[in-house]
Amino acid sequence: EALTMNFLRRRLSDSSFVANLPNGYMLDLQRPDSSSSSPVSPATERRHLQPPQPVHSSSAGSSIFSSISSAVKHTTQAVGLLEPAASPVPAAAQKPKILLVIDDGHTDWAKYFQGKKVNGEFDIRVEQAEFSELNLASYVGGGCTVDMQVLRNGTKVVRSFKPDLVLVRQHAYSMALGEDFRSLIIGLQYGRVPAVNSLCSIYNFCSKPWVVS
Protein backbone atom coordinates (compact mmCIF):
# COMPACT_ATOMS: atom_id res chain seq x y z
CA GLU A 1 0.00 0.00 0.00
CA ALA A 2 2.85 2.40 0.77
CA LEU A 3 4.42 1.65 -2.62
CA THR A 4 1.10 2.36 -4.34
CA MET A 5 0.72 5.71 -2.58
CA ASN A 6 4.29 6.72 -3.48
CA PHE A 7 3.62 5.81 -7.13
CA LEU A 8 0.40 7.86 -7.18
CA ARG A 9 2.14 10.85 -5.62
CA ARG A 10 4.88 10.77 -8.26
CA ARG A 11 2.32 10.47 -11.09
CA LEU A 12 0.10 13.28 -9.76
CA SER A 13 3.10 15.55 -9.33
CA ASP A 14 3.83 15.16 -13.08
CA SER A 15 2.19 18.15 -14.79
CA SER A 16 1.94 16.44 -18.20
CA PHE A 17 0.14 13.45 -16.69
CA VAL A 18 -2.35 15.66 -14.85
CA ALA A 19 -3.00 17.73 -17.99
CA ASN A 20 -4.01 14.60 -19.91
CA LEU A 21 -6.55 13.48 -17.31
CA PRO A 22 -10.27 13.77 -18.24
CA ASN A 23 -12.19 16.81 -17.10
CA GLY A 24 -13.50 16.41 -13.55
CA TYR A 25 -11.26 13.44 -12.80
CA MET A 26 -9.53 15.12 -9.85
CA LEU A 27 -12.87 16.28 -8.46
CA ASP A 28 -14.15 12.70 -8.52
CA LEU A 29 -11.11 11.59 -6.53
CA GLN A 30 -11.71 14.24 -3.89
CA ARG A 31 -15.33 13.15 -3.27
CA PRO A 32 -15.86 11.07 -0.14
CA ASP A 33 -16.29 7.37 -0.63
CA SER A 34 -19.91 6.42 -1.01
CA SER A 35 -19.35 3.39 1.21
CA SER A 36 -18.40 5.59 4.17
CA SER A 37 -21.31 8.00 3.76
CA SER A 38 -24.52 7.94 5.72
CA PRO A 39 -26.62 4.79 5.44
CA VAL A 40 -29.03 4.60 2.54
CA SER A 41 -32.72 4.35 3.21
CA PRO A 42 -34.52 1.15 2.08
CA ALA A 43 -36.61 3.13 -0.46
CA THR A 44 -33.51 4.64 -2.03
CA GLU A 45 -31.83 1.24 -2.05
CA ARG A 46 -34.81 -0.36 -3.80
CA ARG A 47 -34.76 2.48 -6.35
CA HIS A 48 -31.14 1.79 -7.12
CA LEU A 49 -31.76 -1.94 -7.39
CA GLN A 50 -34.51 -1.54 -10.00
CA PRO A 51 -33.32 -2.70 -13.44
CA PRO A 52 -32.95 0.04 -16.07
CA GLN A 53 -35.82 0.49 -18.46
CA PRO A 54 -35.18 -1.24 -21.81
CA VAL A 55 -34.58 0.96 -24.84
CA HIS A 56 -36.41 0.11 -28.04
CA SER A 57 -33.84 -1.53 -30.29
CA SER A 58 -35.11 -0.07 -33.57
CA SER A 59 -35.13 3.53 -32.34
CA ALA A 60 -31.71 3.13 -30.75
CA GLY A 61 -30.32 1.50 -33.88
CA SER A 62 -31.68 4.19 -36.17
CA SER A 63 -30.34 6.90 -33.88
CA ILE A 64 -26.88 5.34 -33.86
CA PHE A 65 -26.94 4.81 -37.62
CA SER A 66 -27.96 8.42 -38.27
CA SER A 67 -25.22 9.65 -35.95
CA ILE A 68 -22.60 7.51 -37.69
CA SER A 69 -23.81 8.54 -41.12
CA SER A 70 -23.71 12.19 -40.15
CA ALA A 71 -20.21 11.83 -38.74
CA VAL A 72 -18.93 9.98 -41.80
CA LYS A 73 -20.49 12.57 -44.12
CA HIS A 74 -18.93 15.51 -42.27
CA THR A 75 -15.56 13.78 -42.09
CA THR A 76 -15.43 12.87 -45.77
CA GLN A 77 -16.56 16.34 -46.76
CA ALA A 78 -13.79 17.81 -44.64
CA VAL A 79 -11.12 15.78 -46.42
CA GLY A 80 -12.66 16.31 -49.85
CA LEU A 81 -13.79 12.73 -50.46
CA LEU A 82 -17.47 13.53 -50.74
CA GLU A 83 -18.91 16.38 -52.71
CA PRO A 84 -22.01 18.12 -51.37
CA ALA A 85 -25.18 17.08 -53.19
CA ALA A 86 -25.65 19.29 -56.21
CA SER A 87 -29.02 20.75 -56.86
CA PRO A 88 -30.60 19.55 -60.12
CA VAL A 89 -30.20 21.92 -63.05
CA PRO A 90 -33.55 23.05 -64.43
CA ALA A 91 -34.20 22.27 -68.09
CA ALA A 92 -34.51 25.99 -68.88
CA ALA A 93 -30.89 26.55 -67.77
CA GLN A 94 -29.46 23.80 -70.02
CA LYS A 95 -27.80 24.77 -73.26
CA PRO A 96 -29.87 24.18 -76.40
CA LYS A 97 -28.78 21.70 -79.04
CA ILE A 98 -27.43 23.37 -82.18
CA LEU A 99 -28.78 22.15 -85.51
CA LEU A 100 -26.78 23.24 -88.55
CA VAL A 101 -28.94 23.32 -91.67
CA ILE A 102 -26.99 23.57 -94.93
CA ASP A 103 -29.44 25.04 -97.43
CA ASP A 104 -30.13 28.22 -99.39
CA GLY A 105 -32.21 31.03 -97.95
CA HIS A 106 -35.45 30.11 -99.77
CA THR A 107 -36.56 27.92 -96.86
CA ASP A 108 -36.59 29.19 -93.30
CA TRP A 109 -35.84 26.05 -91.33
CA ALA A 110 -35.93 27.79 -87.95
CA LYS A 111 -39.73 28.05 -88.01
CA TYR A 112 -40.07 24.27 -88.43
CA PHE A 113 -38.14 23.65 -85.22
CA GLN A 114 -39.55 26.49 -83.20
CA GLY A 115 -40.85 25.22 -79.83
CA LYS A 116 -39.52 21.71 -80.48
CA LYS A 117 -37.30 19.89 -78.00
CA VAL A 118 -34.81 17.04 -78.24
CA ASN A 119 -35.97 14.16 -76.02
CA GLY A 120 -38.45 16.60 -74.52
CA GLU A 121 -35.59 18.24 -72.61
CA PHE A 122 -33.30 20.37 -74.81
CA ASP A 123 -34.34 23.31 -76.96
CA ILE A 124 -33.19 23.41 -80.59
CA ARG A 125 -31.23 26.34 -81.97
CA VAL A 126 -31.11 26.43 -85.77
CA GLU A 127 -28.12 27.85 -87.64
CA GLN A 128 -28.71 27.98 -91.39
CA ALA A 129 -26.17 28.67 -94.11
CA GLU A 130 -25.04 27.51 -97.54
CA PHE A 131 -21.90 25.49 -98.18
CA SER A 132 -20.19 28.57 -99.62
CA GLU A 133 -20.76 30.46 -96.34
CA LEU A 134 -19.09 27.87 -94.10
CA ASN A 135 -15.61 27.04 -92.88
CA LEU A 136 -14.81 24.43 -90.25
CA ALA A 137 -12.05 22.89 -88.20
CA SER A 138 -12.26 19.27 -86.95
CA TYR A 139 -10.45 17.59 -84.09
CA VAL A 140 -9.12 14.10 -83.47
CA GLY A 141 -11.13 13.69 -80.28
CA GLY A 142 -14.38 14.37 -82.11
CA GLY A 143 -16.40 17.50 -82.68
CA CYS A 144 -15.75 20.43 -84.94
CA THR A 145 -16.06 24.20 -84.87
CA VAL A 146 -17.97 25.87 -87.69
CA ASP A 147 -17.37 29.46 -88.77
CA MET A 148 -20.36 30.94 -90.57
CA GLN A 149 -20.50 34.19 -92.55
CA VAL A 150 -23.99 34.95 -93.81
CA LEU A 151 -25.34 38.03 -95.55
CA ARG A 152 -28.89 38.67 -94.32
CA ASN A 153 -30.91 41.72 -95.25
CA GLY A 154 -27.73 43.51 -96.25
CA THR A 155 -26.07 42.74 -92.90
CA LYS A 156 -23.11 40.39 -92.57
CA VAL A 157 -23.65 37.90 -89.74
CA VAL A 158 -20.56 36.09 -88.40
CA ARG A 159 -20.91 33.19 -85.95
CA SER A 160 -18.71 30.41 -84.57
CA PHE A 161 -20.26 27.33 -82.93
CA LYS A 162 -20.06 23.56 -82.50
CA PRO A 163 -23.02 21.81 -84.17
CA ASP A 164 -24.70 18.87 -82.45
CA LEU A 165 -26.50 17.75 -85.65
CA VAL A 166 -26.33 18.58 -89.35
CA LEU A 167 -29.15 18.61 -91.88
CA VAL A 168 -27.81 18.79 -95.45
CA ARG A 169 -30.26 20.06 -98.07
CA GLN A 170 -27.73 21.10 -100.76
CA HIS A 171 -25.54 19.19 -103.20
CA ALA A 172 -21.97 19.13 -101.91
CA TYR A 173 -20.36 18.89 -105.33
CA SER A 174 -20.88 20.43 -108.75
CA MET A 175 -18.76 20.71 -111.90
CA ALA A 176 -19.07 24.48 -111.69
CA LEU A 177 -16.07 26.46 -110.50
CA GLY A 178 -15.93 26.76 -106.72
CA GLU A 179 -18.79 24.32 -106.15
CA ASP A 180 -16.77 21.47 -104.64
CA PHE A 181 -17.58 21.28 -100.90
CA ARG A 182 -16.60 17.68 -100.30
CA SER A 183 -13.89 18.85 -97.89
CA LEU A 184 -16.62 20.19 -95.58
CA ILE A 185 -18.39 16.82 -95.64
CA ILE A 186 -15.09 15.11 -94.81
CA GLY A 187 -14.53 17.58 -91.96
CA LEU A 188 -17.96 16.91 -90.47
CA GLN A 189 -17.36 13.16 -90.78
CA TYR A 190 -13.94 13.50 -89.13
CA GLY A 191 -15.56 15.44 -86.29
CA ARG A 192 -18.18 12.67 -85.89
CA VAL A 193 -21.10 15.06 -86.17
CA PRO A 194 -24.43 13.19 -86.65
CA ALA A 195 -26.20 14.10 -89.88
CA VAL A 196 -29.40 13.57 -91.84
CA ASN A 197 -28.93 11.89 -94.27
CA SER A 198 -25.70 10.16 -93.27
CA LEU A 199 -22.53 11.97 -94.30
CA CYS A 200 -21.35 8.77 -95.98
CA SER A 201 -24.39 8.72 -98.31
CA ILE A 202 -24.06 12.48 -98.98
CA TYR A 203 -20.43 12.02 -100.00
CA ASN A 204 -21.34 9.07 -102.24
CA PHE A 205 -23.97 11.17 -104.01
CA CYS A 206 -21.30 13.68 -105.01
CA SER A 207 -20.46 11.37 -107.91
CA LYS A 208 -23.38 10.79 -110.27
CA PRO A 209 -21.68 7.89 -112.11
CA TRP A 210 -21.13 6.20 -108.74
CA VAL A 211 -24.82 6.66 -107.87
CA VAL A 212 -25.98 5.33 -111.24
CA SER A 213 -23.64 2.37 -111.01
Side-chain angles (χ1 to χ4, degrees):
E1 186 177 356
L3 293 174
T4 303
M5 293 303 295
N6 291 333
F7 173 78
L8 290 177
R9 287 193 188 96
R10 286 197 304 271
R11 295 298 288 169
L12 293 176
S13 63
D14 188 357
S15 59
S16 62
F17 174 78
V18 175
N20 291 326
L21 289 175
N23 292 333
Y25 185 83
M26 296 299 294
L27 295 177
D28 291 340
L29 291 178
Q30 294 173 4
R31 291 174 184 169
D33 190 2
S34 59
S35 61
S36 60
S37 61
S38 58
V40 182
S41 64
T44 306
E45 191 172 359
R46 284 196 302 270
R47 192 163 55 247
H48 285 301
L49 291 177
Q50 288 179 355
Q53 296 296 326
V55 181
H56 199 277
S57 59
S58 62
S59 60
S62 61
S63 177
I64 293 173
F65 181 77
S66 61
S67 301
I68 294 175
S69 301
S70 178
V72 171
K73 181 178 180 181
H74 289 307
T75 304
T76 50
Q77 282 181 351
V79 298
L81 296 178
L82 180 65
E83 294 292 336
S87 57
V89 180
Q94 295 177 350
K95 291 183 178 180
K97 297 296 182 181
I98 300 178
L99 170 63
L100 172 60
V101 180
I102 302 177
D103 196 5
D104 54 35
H106 292 96
T107 304
D108 184 12
W109 286 95
K111 68 179 183 180
Y112 292 103
F113 294 94
Q114 187 175 4
K116 308 295 184 183
K117 291 182 180 293
V118 177
N119 295 331
E121 185 177 2
F122 298 94
D123 293 327
I124 301 175
R125 192 182 104 199
V126 177
E127 296 289 353
Q128 183 173 341
E130 299 185 36
F131 273 118
S132 59
E133 299 169 328
L134 298 176
N135 282 310
L136 63 84
S138 295
Y139 306 98
V140 176
C144 66
T145 301
V146 175
D147 295 324
M148 181 177 70
Q149 296 184 6
V150 183
L151 189 62
R152 291 177 179 169
N153 300 325
T155 304
K156 189 176 183 181
V157 178
V158 180
R159 287 201 184 103
S160 181
F161 54 88
K162 291 185 176 182
D164 297 295
L165 181 67
V166 179
L167 173 62
V168 180
R169 301 293 294 175
Q170 270 189 328
H171 292 294
Y173 176 74
S174 173
M175 295 296 292
L177 183 63
E179 294 291 329
D180 185 0
F181 303 108
R182 287 177 292 182
S183 60
L184 295 178
I185 299 298
I186 294 173
L188 292 171
Q189 177 74 9
Y190 189 74
R192 301 176 185 176
V193 181
V196 181
N197 293 327
S198 70
L199 294 172
C200 182
S201 65
I202 292 171
Y203 189 87
N204 285 336
F205 269 81
C206 290
S207 174
K208 290 184 179 179
W210 176 261
V211 175
V212 173
S213 299

